[in-house]
């Protein structure tokens, strides 16, 4: 009998109790392995859920920001009332705007009341009669803006035109879309001013800008 | 008589399989194959490393079980059939090693164990194997459950170290170290008991 075969035969005589213990332990180890795999799988699932929540919550919050309390709009009869609520003069305080349509939006508090220390946008609509026709002017202030590109009024391509009036850089565009249309904007004392003019005749933009920026 | 598909879908207890053998119901063989076929094949493959030889041994094993039950009524069916398979595969192994060395895992583990002990050629080979087996049993008694598991897994089942390591959830190197320790311990035990070395 070869040595290997002798050994194989000898091991054949291993007692049944050791074989029984072996098979029992094998089954137990198999169950433990399944439990370990399940635990790892659950851990991964929980980690993935946690990660999804961690990412999804800020994303959802970002897209639902518009669901924050709606701004409150206040209407005014004259520009002096606007100054009273704001607590300071704007460039538009210089203008004679009798009968103008004046509205100012504010952030609202939890109760839906206007927070006067948080103005969002002022809009003054006024019509001027000129020698040739009429100019319909909308004066805007977008509060707390430091960049002219923060304006969303107009909806047309910027032409990149600028002029400097009394040290203030004014960006403007001239559009001819059947009517004369000009929009100018500039930053002044931390706010963005936008003047939007539609006229039946040629627009004298400098007239409007000088009335605001020159003494 | 139940179809193959019907038997495959039924998980049957070992005691019921034994009763089927006693009742001389051929479904017993199908149930044995469904439940333990892969396990028996693995024992044969670890010894022989040849698909055709393994399949032949598997068929011989089922015949051996059919011829053994009755009169036997094994307490643990799995141990009973694994011994039959091992015995049949071992005889096939002996037959093949007469012609050439068998490139199987069992050859590796027996070569490995042979470094521990040496024997002289004797006409009373079966008696020698039995005596050696008795000593191995006595030695196994001194081992921990885990060490017994590793010994049976490696030298009885012929499993690769990676398989045993995976089952115990340890590194292969850990299993290797344990086996070396077991071998050294067996050698010392056999020397103390006058087994020819």
């Amino acid at each position: 009998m070869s040595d290997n075969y002798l050994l194989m035969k000898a091991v054949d005589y291993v007692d049944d109790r050791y074989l029984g213990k072996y098979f029992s332990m094998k089954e137990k180890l198999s169950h433990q392995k399944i439990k370990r795999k399940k635990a790892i799988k659950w851990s991964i699932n929980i980690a993935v859920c946690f990660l999804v929540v961690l990412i999804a919550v800020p994303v959802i919050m970002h897209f639902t920001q518009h669901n924050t309390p709606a701004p409150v709009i206040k209407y005014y009869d004259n520009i002096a009332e606007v100054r009273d609520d704001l607590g300071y003069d704007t460039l538009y305080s210089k203008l004679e705007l009798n009968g103008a349509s004046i509205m100012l939006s504010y952030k609202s508090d939890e109760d839906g009341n206007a927070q006067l220390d948080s103005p969002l946008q002022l809009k003054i609509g006024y019509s001027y009669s000129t020698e040739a026709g009429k100019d319909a002017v909308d004066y805007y202030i977008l509060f707390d803006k430091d960049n002219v590109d923060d304006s969303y009024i107009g909806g047309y391509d910027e032409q990149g035109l600028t002029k400097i009036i009394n040290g203030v850089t004014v960006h403007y565009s001239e559009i001819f879309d059947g009517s004369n249309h000009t929009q100018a904007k500039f930053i002044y004392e931390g706010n963005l001013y936008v003047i939007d003019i539609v006229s039946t005749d040629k627009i004298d933009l400098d007239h409007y800008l000088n009335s605001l920026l020159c003494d | 008589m139940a179809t193959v598909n019907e038997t495959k879908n039924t998980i049957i207890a070992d005691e019921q399989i034994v009763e089927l053998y006693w009742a001389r119901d051929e479904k017993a063989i199908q149930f044995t194959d469904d439940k333990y076929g892969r396990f028996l094949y693995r024992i044969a493959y670890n010894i022989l490393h040849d698909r055709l030889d393994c399949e032949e041994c598997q068929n011989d094993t089922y015949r051996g079980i059919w011829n053994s039950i009755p009169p036997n009524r094994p307490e643990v069916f799995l141990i009973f059939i694994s011994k039959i398979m091992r015995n049949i595969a071992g005889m096939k192994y002996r037959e093949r090693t007469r012609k050439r060395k068998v490139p199987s895992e069992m050859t590796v583990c027996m070569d490995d164990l042979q470094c521990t002990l040496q024997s002289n050629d004797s006409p009373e080979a079966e008696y020698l194997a039995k005596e050696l087996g008795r000593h191995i049993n006595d030695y196994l008694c001194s081992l921990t459950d885990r060490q017994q598991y590793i010994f049976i897994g490696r030298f009885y089942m012929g499993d690769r170290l990676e398989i045993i390591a995976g089952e115990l959830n340890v590194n292969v190197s850990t299993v290797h170290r344990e086996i070396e320790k077991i071998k050294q311990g067996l050698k010392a035990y056999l020397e103390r008991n006058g087994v020819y070395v």
Side-chain angles (χ1 to χ4, degrees), chain A residues 4 12-13 15-16 26, chain B residues 83 86 114 126 137 167:
Chain A
N4 269 2
D12 261 351
Y13 286 103
D15 201 276
D16 280 1
K26 194 177 187 68
Chain B
K83 280 190 161 183
R86 202 173 184 279
Q114 227 188 117
E126 192 64 36
N137 276 316
E167 287 171 350

Side-chain angles (χ1 to χ4, degrees), chain A residues 66 68-74 104-108 112-114 118 120:
Chain A
H66 63 277
T68 51
V72 174
I73 297 174
K74 279 189 78 173
L104 204 160
S105 62
Y106 296 89
K107 283 185 185 175
S108 64
N113 299 319
S118 300
L120 294 171

Side-chain angles (χ1 to χ4, degrees), chain A residues 79-92:
Chain A
I79 200 70
E81 290 177 2
V82 172
R83 186 193 59 213
D84 290 341
D85 270 355
L86 286 177
Y88 57 88
D89 278 317
T90 66
L91 287 176
Y92 299 146

